[in-house]
Amino acid sequence: MALWLRTIRNRTLLLLLAGLTCTAANGATGTRGNVQWQPHVLTNGSPVLFQINAPAKVHAVSALWMGHSVSFFRSTETKRWVGLAAIPLTEKKGTYELKITETLADGRTAELVRKIRVAEAPYPTIPVTVAKKFTEPSPEELTSISADKELKRKILNLVTSERLWSGDFIAPVSEPVSDIFGTARVFNNEVQSRHEGLDFAAPLGTDVHAINSGVVILARPMFFEGNFVVIDHGQGLLSLYLHLSAFKVKEGDHVHTGETIALSGGTGRATGPHLHLAVRWQSVYLSPAILLKLQIPAR
């Protein structure tokens, strides 16, 4: 690709990234009654940090959002109940209900409903060229892909009850963003998919850090993902690190925010060395760029 064209494309990506994440900056929040949320404007593909003001006598808070259960913890900093959720990339714009249950120490409950507006995010489309084997795999490669698919089905739908993450999420590398979340990708003019992660222009061998604390539940090579690490942060929140050149952790390891877990690379279906970061919440892919800008109160 010509240098001038690459420069224009990178500037376009950065502008798009800024447009998609600006609403999460500076702790901007939306408000509905006793419920607040970040980012201020919610869109398809966005994480959402709910904060609920509840009386001191409330012992626990839970909620139902878009068919998913949301767990809350009480912040010592704000005295509010805090819960992390997400909006599916495929969700249409409209008004959705957050159904809240407040539980007292004696077991009695109170329920309330808040209607929250979700807008539609503008995601771009780009063509991508990869090796032919990734669009027309051989029978042997199809067998490997099938085995990977079954393993990922088990791992990526995991929901553990305990919250392992704490505080703000950090970027896994310091390199600039090279492709944003939500981009519609056309592979070799044949296969179309959504880019469900955030790419960083990390040179081969760059240290990759855990975006928050958790447990490594996958650390092995796969056909499309290449060398692949998945961290369980608890309550259905997972972070995924793809195309790695080397592992620095193994399955079962407990890791802390900022700990080196791998080295970046270009393994699997990749056009060159970079880091692909994806984040899932209860099987819903969300925008890592917005997650990294949320200002999360201390527990």
Side-chain angles (χ1 to χ4, degrees):
M1 184 185 295
L3 179 60
W4 67 270
L5 182 59
R6 186 184 300 113
T7 301
I8 291 174
R9 181 173 181 270
N10 287 342
R11 287 177 178 174
T12 301
L13 286 170
L14 290 173
L15 288 172
L16 286 165
L17 179 64
L20 289 172
T21 61
C22 65
T23 56
N26 301 320
T29 60
T31 303
R32 180 77 183 204
N34 61 340
V35 179
Q36 296 181 339
W37 59 86
Q38 295 181 53
H40 175 67
V41 177
L42 300 181
T43 60
N44 55 311
S46 174
V48 50
L49 187 74
F50 289 115
Q51 296 190 61
I52 297 174
N53 292 317
K57 61 183 178 180
V58 170
H59 180 70
V61 172
S62 61
L64 188 65
W65 170 251
M66 295 186 170
H68 296 265
S69 297
V70 185
S71 299
F72 286 79
F73 65 90
R74 191 175 182 88
S75 169
T76 56
E77 178 184 348
T78 64
K79 308 304 181 184
R80 300 189 185 105
W81 290 88
V82 181
L84 183 64
I87 303 165
L89 187 59
T90 55
E91 204 68 62
K92 303 297 183 183
K93 65 179 181 180
T95 301
Y96 295 86
E97 292 184 344
L98 178 69
K99 299 180 179 180
I100 304 164
T101 300
E102 297 178 349
T103 304
L104 304 181
D106 62 7
R108 289 180 298 160
T109 61
E111 296 184 353
L112 56 150
V113 176
R114 293 292 179 264
K115 295 183 181 294
I116 298 174
R117 180 71 178 172
V118 173
E120 185 175 356
Y123 293 116
T125 299
I126 62 170
V128 178
T129 301
V130 297
K132 191 174 182 179
K133 73 174 185 176
F134 293 113
T135 57
E136 299 179 23
S138 67
E140 294 78 12
E141 289 165 340
L142 285 172
T143 299
S144 176
I145 291 170
S146 179
D148 288 353
K149 184 177 180 180
E150 179 60 21
L151 178 60
K152 286 185 289 185
R153 184 187 66 79
K154 295 178 181 178
I155 293 293
L156 298 184
N157 291 319
L158 179 69
V159 178
T160 54
S161 58
E162 183 183 1
R163 181 175 63 90
L164 303 176
W165 63 272
S166 178
D168 292 346
F169 291 80
I170 68 166
V173 294
S174 59
E175 277 66 28
V177 170
S178 56
D179 198 0
I180 64 173
F181 173 86
T183 304
R185 293 174 141 189
V186 180
F187 289 96
N188 300 350
N189 298 316
E190 294 180 6
V191 180
Q192 184 171 334
S193 66
R194 282 283 181 183
H195 188 228
E196 295 177 318
L198 186 67
D199 283 354
F200 295 86
L204 181 67
T206 301
D207 284 351
V208 176
H209 307 281
I211 65 170
N212 212 304
S213 56
V215 176
V216 177
I217 56 174
L218 186 72
R220 63 181 70 183
M222 290 193 164
F223 185 77
F224 288 115
E225 295 82 4
N227 292 333
F228 187 25
V229 167
V230 179
I231 297 175
D232 176 19
H233 301 288
Q235 298 178 341
L237 187 69
L238 309 177
S239 58
L240 292 63
Y241 311 78
L242 283 65
H243 312 306
L244 307 167
S245 62
F247 299 108
K248 295 297 182 179
V249 291
K250 62 183 184 301
E251 293 170 12
D253 283 353
H254 290 254
V255 296
H256 301 287
T257 305
E259 184 174 337
T260 299
I261 59 171
L263 302 180
S264 64
T267 56
R269 187 171 70 180
T271 57
H274 71 286
L275 173 66
H276 174 101
L277 169 69
V279 181
R280 283 167 65 101
W281 175 77
Q282 297 186 20
S283 303
V284 175
Y285 281 102
L286 57 85
S287 170
I290 298 179
L291 179 70
L292 297 176
K293 286 185 174 291
L294 296 181
Q295 296 181 2
I296 300 173
R299 181 180 175 86

